[in-house]
Amino acid sequence: MADDDDDTVASLLQSMSLTTRSANGAKSTRPLSSLGKGSRASPMMPFRGHSGRFKAPETLYSSEDESTSSDIESEGDSDSSLEEYGGFRFSSFTSVSPSVTLADDVSGPLRTWTQRQASSDSAQSSIMKFLNREKAQQELLEADLRLIRERIQVTAERDMSELTSRRKQQKEAEIQHLGNLHQTHSRQHQEGVKKLQDYQQEQRLEQSKREEARRQEQQRQLEAQQKAEKERAMKQAEEANKQAAIAKAAQEEEKKRQTASASAALAAGTSQGGLLGPQSPARTAAPSPATTTPSAGTGTAARTAAGTARQTPPHVKQAMSRMEKLVTIQGMSEKINEDTRPEIKRLRTQVKKTVNLSIQQISASMEQIVKKAEEMKQLMKQAQQEGEIMYQYTCNMVADKFKTQAESLIARSRSSCFPYAQTIVLVSVEFPLLLELVLAYLNKACPFTVPYFPTKAASETDDDLRVKWGYLRKEDGSLEAEDDYIGRMEGFMALFAAIPQCPVTVGRNFMAASVSHPFGMDQAWVWLARVLNQKIRRLTCMFLYVFLDIAGFSLCQSYPSQMKKVFMLLAQSGVPQFEELKAKGTKGLEPALTNLRLYLTEYIRSGQARKPEGKDIPTTSLSQRHL
């Protein structure tokens, strides 16, 4: 379409001509299409492919034909709207050079050209469409350019935002990485410090163990040396005493005669210096003196013929039976602890929680003791409903907890034995298995509660014998210290001595007073008689003192005349025999012997046994104190 418009404009210009007159009066006619090919008077009409501006002709008209110029100018005014479009410029024919003159007959062709120009509206319209199209394309290009710029700007902003975000994330990651590195280094440093401390602690422990082993070795060497010296001295003494053998035998015979006489008088109830007298009328349940009273002093004389003939005494067999039953129940308890069934785990957790809380909360208040005893009784009733195995498991756990309290808390404070013993008695009235297991634990940990003094077999060492006595072995194979052993044994003995004297009825929530005690004062009397009928040993003094310190007051109330004889005989014969052992070099005897001597002296001076601390338990919670 644009090519057709351009061809139309060219044909119009070809049909039109222009006549001019020169300065000498010569006329010349030139077609309008040839204008612009000379040096001057070249009206630049629009044509296709022209890249510059359209310039108005400068020598086309003369000054004398101003009217014609005005007409042309008026025609040019109609095209003023086409003056400039996107780089193309159309100049009006208003500039006329004064050196050019217009011929007289030019007006005719000019009018004809003007008329023809009027018919070129279609060509101008085509030009306008072309220019509008170019303008629209230019606007589209500008719009596309703006859109591209906006997109570039948005993309740049987005890229900048993403870059900023990535940098921020990278910075945060670096900070977190540095923090993790710092934590790792700090943890490694702490672990290194802890390992160093543990290593130093291990070195100190090893050093202390080596020093302790060295000290024990020196002690053993010293004891061996002393023993050898004693043996040599004894041999020398034997040689020296051969000359006095007849006199010594006579003295022994006299001593036996006096002891037999005292035993006979004791059986008749008339002896003044015997060990045990006739039993109190108020305690008909007490054993007969003929079966429990020592037949010769405090243990240095021979036992009765019946006692000598027995290889295993009945009370030892009874204790062994208890311990065998305990071992069986412990094996069953291990299976329950390993059982993974949900219902068993639930029962096991409930039993452990109740037992631990109840026993830990026992205090020196009768109100609290009754409350905790009721909780344990209720627990055992529930256990019985679950079956005999669960009942035995519960009783074993309670008994083991009491044994733990005896070797820890009671060992540090013997007065705390009474609240625990009272709780054991109140529960055992309805559930005797508990008392049986408690006694089994005490007999196993401390054989002197039987009473039973293990002896050394031919194939055993001294340490093996001490283990029989209740010493604990450490992880390194050595035995516990003597002070630790004595403390634990005193705790066991205190709990054992406190059980017989605790009443079976407390308050209105328990059974009637007609209920007999499952392990009463008659058992305490039997134990004392059996100990005094046995051979005196180094540990006899300690156990005897602890037992009398806890149970002596109640024994004097139950057996006043018999206990008076026991105390007098201990003061006159027992203490001197312990002092004789001390003089022979027996170690560890001094503290217990001093305590026993003071206890007997106080009894002889006041005429009554000392009441143990903690025996009178308050009945209300106002004076309640945790152990």
PDB file of all heavy atoms in Angstrom, residues 462-476:
ATOM      1  N   ASP A 462      42.389 -66.334 106.310  1.00  0.00           N
ATOM      2  CA  ASP A 462      41.797 -65.424 107.294  1.00  0.00           C
ATOM      3  C   ASP A 462      40.721 -64.553 106.658  1.00  0.00           C
ATOM      4  O   ASP A 462      39.695 -64.247 107.289  1.00  0.00           O
ATOM      5  CB  ASP A 462      42.892 -64.548 107.908  1.00  0.00           C
ATOM      6  CG  ASP A 462      43.848 -65.359 108.774  1.00  0.00           C
ATOM      7  OD1 ASP A 462      43.458 -66.480 109.186  1.00  0.00           O
ATOM      8  OD2 ASP A 462      44.967 -64.885 109.029  1.00  0.00           O
ATOM      9  N   ASP A 463      40.961 -64.136 105.402  1.00  0.00           N
ATOM     10  CA  ASP A 463      39.950 -63.322 104.723  1.00  0.00           C
ATOM     11  C   ASP A 463      38.675 -64.112 104.480  1.00  0.00           C
ATOM     12  O   ASP A 463      37.558 -63.564 104.574  1.00  0.00           O
ATOM     13  CB  ASP A 463      40.494 -62.792 103.393  1.00  0.00           C
ATOM     14  CG  ASP A 463      41.512 -61.680 103.586  1.00  0.00           C
ATOM     15  OD1 ASP A 463      41.662 -61.221 104.739  1.00  0.00           O
ATOM     16  OD2 ASP A 463      42.161 -61.276 102.598  1.00  0.00           O
ATOM     17  N   ASP A 464      38.808 -65.392 104.169  1.00  0.00           N
ATOM     18  CA  ASP A 464      37.619 -66.227 103.989  1.00  0.00           C
ATOM     19  C   ASP A 464      36.815 -66.316 105.275  1.00  0.00           C
ATOM     20  O   ASP A 464      35.575 -66.273 105.257  1.00  0.00           O
ATOM     21  CB  ASP A 464      38.024 -67.629 103.526  1.00  0.00           C
ATOM     22  CG  ASP A 464      38.670 -67.615 102.150  1.00  0.00           C
ATOM     23  OD1 ASP A 464      38.371 -66.678 101.375  1.00  0.00           O
ATOM     24  OD2 ASP A 464      39.472 -68.525 101.847  1.00  0.00           O
ATOM     25  N   LEU A 465      37.512 -66.412 106.399  1.00  0.00           N
ATOM     26  CA  LEU A 465      36.818 -66.449 107.681  1.00  0.00           C
ATOM     27  C   LEU A 465      36.110 -65.127 107.959  1.00  0.00           C
ATOM     28  O   LEU A 465      34.971 -65.110 108.446  1.00  0.00           O
ATOM     29  CB  LEU A 465      37.805 -66.779 108.790  1.00  0.00           C
ATOM     30  CG  LEU A 465      37.232 -66.800 110.212  1.00  0.00           C
ATOM     31  CD1 LEU A 465      36.133 -67.859 110.337  1.00  0.00           C
ATOM     32  CD2 LEU A 465      38.342 -67.046 111.241  1.00  0.00           C
ATOM     33  N   ARG A 466      36.784 -64.033 107.639  1.00  0.00           N
ATOM     34  CA  ARG A 466      36.152 -62.725 107.862  1.00  0.00           C
ATOM     35  C   ARG A 466      34.912 -62.544 106.985  1.00  0.00           C
ATOM     36  O   ARG A 466      33.938 -61.917 107.400  1.00  0.00           O
ATOM     37  CB  ARG A 466      37.157 -61.607 107.599  1.00  0.00           C
ATOM     38  CG  ARG A 466      38.267 -61.516 108.633  1.00  0.00           C
ATOM     39  CD  ARG A 466      39.117 -60.276 108.424  1.00  0.00           C
ATOM     40  NE  ARG A 466      40.110 -60.106 109.460  1.00  0.00           N
ATOM     41  CZ  ARG A 466      41.346 -60.589 109.404  1.00  0.00           C
ATOM     42  NH1 ARG A 466      41.738 -61.266 108.326  1.00  0.00           N
ATOM     43  NH2 ARG A 466      42.194 -60.394 110.390  1.00  0.00           N
ATOM     44  N   VAL A 467      34.954 -63.078 105.788  1.00  0.00           N
ATOM     45  CA  VAL A 467      33.767 -63.009 104.929  1.00  0.00           C
ATOM     46  C   VAL A 467      32.615 -63.779 105.574  1.00  0.00           C
ATOM     47  O   VAL A 467      31.451 -63.349 105.517  1.00  0.00           O
ATOM     48  CB  VAL A 467      34.087 -63.557 103.525  1.00  0.00           C
ATOM     49  CG1 VAL A 467      32.805 -63.712 102.701  1.00  0.00           C
ATOM     50  CG2 VAL A 467      35.057 -62.642 102.808  1.00  0.00           C
ATOM     51  N   LYS A 468      32.925 -64.901 106.192  1.00  0.00           N
ATOM     52  CA  LYS A 468      31.887 -65.631 106.930  1.00  0.00           C
ATOM     53  C   LYS A 468      31.316 -64.786 108.057  1.00  0.00           C
ATOM     54  O   LYS A 468      30.128 -64.884 108.387  1.00  0.00           O
ATOM     55  CB  LYS A 468      32.461 -66.929 107.506  1.00  0.00           C
ATOM     56  CG  LYS A 468      32.714 -68.021 106.494  1.00  0.00           C
ATOM     57  CD  LYS A 468      33.199 -69.267 107.221  1.00  0.00           C
ATOM     58  CE  LYS A 468      33.416 -70.422 106.265  1.00  0.00           C
ATOM     59  NZ  LYS A 468      33.871 -71.645 106.979  1.00  0.00           N
ATOM     60  N   TRP A 469      32.137 -63.972 108.658  1.00  0.00           N
ATOM     61  CA  TRP A 469      31.687 -63.117 109.754  1.00  0.00           C
ATOM     62  C   TRP A 469      30.857 -61.929 109.269  1.00  0.00           C
ATOM     63  O   TRP A 469      30.258 -61.242 110.091  1.00  0.00           O
ATOM     64  CB  TRP A 469      32.887 -62.598 110.536  1.00  0.00           C
ATOM     65  CG  TRP A 469      33.581 -63.649 111.356  1.00  0.00           C
ATOM     66  CD1 TRP A 469      33.152 -64.923 111.591  1.00  0.00           C
ATOM     67  CD2 TRP A 469      34.823 -63.511 112.041  1.00  0.00           C
ATOM     68  NE1 TRP A 469      34.038 -65.600 112.376  1.00  0.00           N
ATOM     69  CE2 TRP A 469      35.094 -64.750 112.689  1.00  0.00           C
ATOM     70  CE3 TRP A 469      35.738 -62.490 112.193  1.00  0.00           C
ATOM     71  CZ2 TRP A 469      36.220 -64.972 113.448  1.00  0.00           C
ATOM     72  CZ3 TRP A 469      36.876 -62.710 112.969  1.00  0.00           C
ATOM     73  CH2 TRP A 469      37.113 -63.940 113.589  1.00  0.00           C
ATOM     74  N   GLY A 470      30.841 -61.701 107.983  1.00  0.00           N
ATOM     75  CA  GLY A 470      30.029 -60.604 107.459  1.00  0.00           C
ATOM     76  C   GLY A 470      30.811 -59.488 106.810  1.00  0.00           C
ATOM     77  O   GLY A 470      30.218 -58.483 106.390  1.00  0.00           O
ATOM     78  N   TYR A 471      32.121 -59.631 106.691  1.00  0.00           N
ATOM     79  CA  TYR A 471      32.914 -58.602 106.005  1.00  0.00           C
ATOM     80  C   TYR A 471      32.529 -58.568 104.521  1.00  0.00           C
ATOM     81  O   TYR A 471      32.234 -59.611 103.912  1.00  0.00           O
ATOM     82  CB  TYR A 471      34.409 -58.896 106.128  1.00  0.00           C
ATOM     83  CG  TYR A 471      35.030 -58.499 107.436  1.00  0.00           C
ATOM     84  CD1 TYR A 471      34.927 -59.313 108.555  1.00  0.00           C
ATOM     85  CD2 TYR A 471      35.729 -57.303 107.562  1.00  0.00           C
ATOM     86  CE1 TYR A 471      35.502 -58.962 109.764  1.00  0.00           C
ATOM     87  CE2 TYR A 471      36.319 -56.940 108.779  1.00  0.00           C
ATOM     88  CZ  TYR A 471      36.197 -57.779 109.878  1.00  0.00           C
ATOM     89  OH  TYR A 471      36.764 -57.416 111.062  1.00  0.00           O
ATOM     90  N   LEU A 472      32.553 -57.392 103.950  1.00  0.00           N
ATOM     91  CA  LEU A 472      32.260 -57.224 102.525  1.00  0.00           C
ATOM     92  C   LEU A 472      33.554 -57.110 101.735  1.00  0.00           C
ATOM     93  O   LEU A 472      34.499 -56.447 102.178  1.00  0.00           O
ATOM     94  CB  LEU A 472      31.416 -55.957 102.291  1.00  0.00           C
ATOM     95  CG  LEU A 472      30.014 -55.958 102.902  1.00  0.00           C
ATOM     96  CD1 LEU A 472      29.316 -54.639 102.594  1.00  0.00           C
ATOM     97  CD2 LEU A 472      29.196 -57.131 102.395  1.00  0.00           C
ATOM     98  N   ARG A 473      33.566 -57.764 100.586  1.00  0.00           N
ATOM     99  CA  ARG A 473      34.718 -57.648  99.692  1.00  0.00           C
ATOM    100  C   ARG A 473      34.518 -56.487  98.728  1.00  0.00           C
ATOM    101  O   ARG A 473      33.434 -56.280  98.203  1.00  0.00           O
ATOM    102  CB  ARG A 473      34.901 -58.940  98.887  1.00  0.00           C
ATOM    103  CG  ARG A 473      35.522 -60.075  99.662  1.00  0.00           C
ATOM    104  CD  ARG A 473      35.925 -61.190  98.727  1.00  0.00           C
ATOM    105  NE  ARG A 473      36.479 -62.335  99.426  1.00  0.00           N
ATOM    106  CZ  ARG A 473      37.755 -62.454  99.783  1.00  0.00           C
ATOM    107  NH1 ARG A 473      38.592 -61.466  99.492  1.00  0.00           N
ATOM    108  NH2 ARG A 473      38.187 -63.531 100.415  1.00  0.00           N
ATOM    109  N   LYS A 474      35.596 -55.737  98.499  1.00  0.00           N
ATOM    110  CA  LYS A 474      35.552 -54.646  97.540  1.00  0.00           C
ATOM    111  C   LYS A 474      35.778 -55.190  96.131  1.00  0.00           C
ATOM    112  O   LYS A 474      36.030 -56.377  95.938  1.00  0.00           O
ATOM    113  CB  LYS A 474      36.614 -53.598  97.890  1.00  0.00           C
ATOM    114  CG  LYS A 474      36.423 -52.961  99.252  1.00  0.00           C
ATOM    115  CD  LYS A 474      37.513 -51.932  99.514  1.00  0.00           C
ATOM    116  CE  LYS A 474      37.354 -51.311 100.891  1.00  0.00           C
ATOM    117  NZ  LYS A 474      38.426 -50.316 101.182  1.00  0.00           N
ATOM    118  N   GLU A 475      35.692 -54.305  95.159  1.00  0.00           N
ATOM    119  CA  GLU A 475      35.884 -54.716  93.773  1.00  0.00           C
ATOM    120  C   GLU A 475      37.305 -55.199  93.503  1.00  0.00           C
ATOM    121  O   GLU A 475      37.520 -56.053  92.643  1.00  0.00           O
ATOM    122  CB  GLU A 475      35.548 -53.555  92.837  1.00  0.00           C
ATOM    123  CG  GLU A 475      34.077 -53.151  92.883  1.00  0.00           C
ATOM    124  CD  GLU A 475      33.777 -52.025  91.926  1.00  0.00           C
ATOM    125  OE1 GLU A 475      34.745 -51.515  91.298  1.00  0.00           O
ATOM    126  OE2 GLU A 475      32.606 -51.651  91.789  1.00  0.00           O
ATOM    127  N   ASP A 476      38.253 -54.645  94.254  1.00  0.00           N
ATOM    128  CA  ASP A 476      39.641 -55.064  94.039  1.00  0.00           C
ATOM    129  C   ASP A 476      39.991 -56.339  94.804  1.00  0.00           C
ATOM    130  O   ASP A 476      41.144 -56.771  94.793  1.00  0.00           O
ATOM    131  CB  ASP A 476      40.585 -53.937  94.451  1.00  0.00           C
ATOM    132  CG  ASP A 476      40.408 -53.534  95.913  1.00  0.00           C
ATOM    133  OD1 ASP A 476      39.472 -54.065  96.568  1.00  0.00           O
ATOM    134  OD2 ASP A 476      41.178 -52.686  96.397  1.00  0.00           O
TER     135      ASP A 476
END
